[in-house]
Amino acid sequence: MTALSTQHKLRTRNITRVRKPQINTDKQPLNPDTYYTIRELTDRTSPHYTVSPATIFRALKSGALVANYVGRKVLLKGAAVKNWIEGGGQ
């Protein structure tokens, strides 16, 4: 062995495992009289998970889904979301 190879030690790092969120399998139906946030409808761990956030934003932009705004907070009525989903998301 040369002096150069003994001076340079290999650096090691610990690799930690990232936990995947548990997907909620017991889904609850949407209540038509309740207002939901986008996070409640798009979070995979939520019992009201329906679609991805991009899909909801596209529907809002096209006017297919109507939202209520409280300041900057977007609230979606359960009846509107249910009708939008049953109509094929269009």
Side-chain angles (χ1 to χ4, degrees):
M1 287 188 140
T2 65
L4 184 62
S5 64
T6 57
Q7 290 176 354
H8 296 288
K9 294 183 180 180
L10 294 176
R11 293 183 188 180
T12 60
R13 68 176 184 166
N14 295 334
I15 299 174
T16 58
R17 180 178 287 178
V18 177
R19 292 183 185 254
K20 292 183 180 179
Q22 295 290 334
I23 296 175
N24 196 348
T25 56
D26 37 319
K27 228 175 160 181
Q28 295 177 0
L30 293 174
N31 186 353
D33 299 328
T34 305
Y35 287 92
Y36 296 98
T37 62
I38 291 178
R39 185 175 189 108
E40 286 177 312
L41 297 173
T42 60
D43 187 17
R44 290 185 168 267
T45 59
S46 171
H48 304 292
Y49 171 73
T50 53
V51 293
S52 71
T55 305
I56 289 184
F57 286 121
R58 279 195 306 266
L60 289 172
K61 189 174 180 181
S62 70
L65 187 59
V66 180
N68 296 324
Y69 295 91
V70 178
R72 291 180 62 189
K73 190 175 196 175
V74 179
L75 296 175
L76 303 165
K77 189 152 186 172
V81 174
K82 198 171 185 177
N83 291 339
W84 173 68
I85 291 173
E86 289 174 356
Q90 299 179 6

